[in-house]
Amino acid sequence: MAVCFYADLYFILNFIMNWFLLYITAWWIHEPVHNKRWALLSAVCAIFSVVVTYLADCGFKIPKTFFAMTELVFLTWQAYRPENFRKFFTGFVTYICLSAFTAGMVFMLKEIFAWKSFSLAFLLLSVFMLFLLFRFLRVSIAKQDLKRRSIVNATLVHNGKKQEIKALYDTGNHLVSPYTGEPVAVISKDLSDWAGLSKNAAPLLIPYHSIGGDGMLEAYRLDILKFQDGSTRKNFLAAVSDNICTDKEIQIILNNQPMAEGGYNA
């Protein structure tokens, strides 16, 4: 009986699966996205799989398990370029586990649609559905990556007290003081209560405009905000908001505008 090997379809399926699994693994282990590198690696490994499978079907004695493991090691190592073996091992194991989960999902689809074999139509449908999921994950991971790069750890020092906090750089924060023109950070009510701002100083009213409406925010000067990279913000204005962020871990929202007369960066 003649066996037909659709090399082009096999390549496309492997390419999409490789790229899909690289994305979902990165999402799981919180790795940044590298589109061009992952696309190239996915294509190279897909070609490698096609060649190995074709040679094996032609009767050549090829250790397919060994080549498969070598391919996975090469793919995960070059995709994430880990700093040490521990990170590589975490990414490698995560990739394998998610591969097994994805394969199980494909088999489940096969049972749901009552396909008795892996026909061409089933493979095309699987590729299409995985592509849609891939597109969804791509957007989700991009947002996660942007958030990861925008959140920094910092230490707030005010009136001799110190507090470790998480700060968010938000390019959408355009709040400025109409009196000095300096940018104004936004802090949570909890952080304001910890610093005792309303007890020790009179507030400066800062007008704000947002989609939800307009109004006035009470602002106070904070002593020092120290970042992990060694930079600081001193004597800067911070407005207090009850709805600073849906993420409860964020206690202060900053912007990238340069400081002005009232305070400064160091």
Side-chain angles (χ1 to χ4, degrees):
M1 181 179 66
V3 178
C4 295
F5 176 60
Y6 296 95
D8 52 351
L9 182 61
Y10 192 74
F11 167 80
I12 294 172
L13 180 61
N14 273 274
F15 174 74
I16 293 178
M17 283 298 297
N18 288 339
W19 207 356
F20 166 76
L21 288 169
L22 286 177
Y23 265 96
I24 196 173
T25 300
W27 172 77
W28 192 271
I29 63 177
H30 306 291
E31 283 288 327
V33 177
H34 301 282
N35 287 310
K36 294 182 180 179
R37 185 200 307 169
W38 292 358
L40 178 61
L41 287 170
S42 298
V44 169
C45 290
I47 293 173
F48 180 78
S49 297
V50 170
V51 172
V52 170
T53 303
Y54 177 77
L55 293 176
D57 289 344
C58 289
F60 291 91
K61 294 183 179 179
I62 295 178
K64 297 180 68 173
T65 302
F66 170 78
F67 279 118
M69 292 302 294
T70 302
E71 178 186 344
L72 289 178
V73 169
F74 171 77
L75 181 63
T76 53
W77 183 272
Q78 291 299 320
Y80 306 122
R81 296 182 180 177
E83 300 174 356
N84 50 54
F85 179 77
R86 182 178 179 181
K87 287 189 175 181
F88 161 72
F89 184 76
T90 300
F92 179 73
V93 172
T94 303
Y95 187 95
I96 292 178
C97 292
L98 291 174
S99 298
F101 174 78
T102 303
M105 292 295 293
V106 171
F107 274 100
M108 184 183 71
L109 287 173
K110 174 177 171 292
E111 294 299 326
I112 290 176
F113 290 99
W115 260 291
K116 296 182 179 179
S117 62
F118 284 90
S119 63
L120 178 61
F122 172 75
L123 288 176
L124 290 174
L125 178 62
S126 298
V127 168
F128 177 71
M129 296 185 70
L130 286 172
F131 177 76
L132 293 180
L133 183 58
F134 160 79
R135 293 289 296 178
F136 168 77
L137 284 173
R138 181 179 180 182
V139 175
S140 177
I141 293 172
K143 290 181 179 179
Q144 182 189 68
D145 184 48
L146 178 61
K147 181 179 178 181
R148 181 185 62 81
R149 289 185 285 109
S150 301
I151 297 177
V152 295
N153 294 320
T155 302
L156 178 64
V157 181
H158 188 73
N159 287 338
K161 298 191 295 182
K162 293 183 178 181
Q163 175 75 17
E164 299 294 328
I165 63 173
K166 287 187 180 294
L168 172 67
Y169 279 102
D170 185 5
T171 56
N173 177 16
H174 302 296
L175 189 64
V176 297
S177 169
Y179 317 109
T180 62
E182 64 186 291
V184 180
V186 182
I187 65 173
S188 66
K189 185 67 167 59
D190 291 340
L191 190 60
S192 171
D193 292 340
W194 167 84
L197 298 181
S198 60
K199 298 178 182 179
N200 300 322
L204 180 68
L205 297 180
I206 303 292
Y208 73 91
H209 306 279
S210 67
I211 297 177
D214 303 334
M216 305 291 286
L217 290 175
E218 294 184 353
Y220 304 86
R221 289 206 174 271
L222 295 175
D223 293 341
I224 304 175
L225 185 63
K226 299 179 180 179
F227 301 98
Q228 284 185 326
D229 61 1
S231 62
T232 62
R233 286 195 177 187
K234 300 179 180 179
N235 192 33
F236 64 98
L237 273 174
V240 182
S241 173
D242 292 328
N243 302 308
I244 180 173
C245 187
T246 55
D247 186 345
K248 298 300 182 182
E249 294 185 356
I250 306 300
Q251 295 161 294
I252 181 170
I253 296 179
L254 305 170
N255 53 43
N256 294 316
Q257 300 177 49
M259 301 292 283
E261 297 177 9
Y264 61 92
N265 293 321

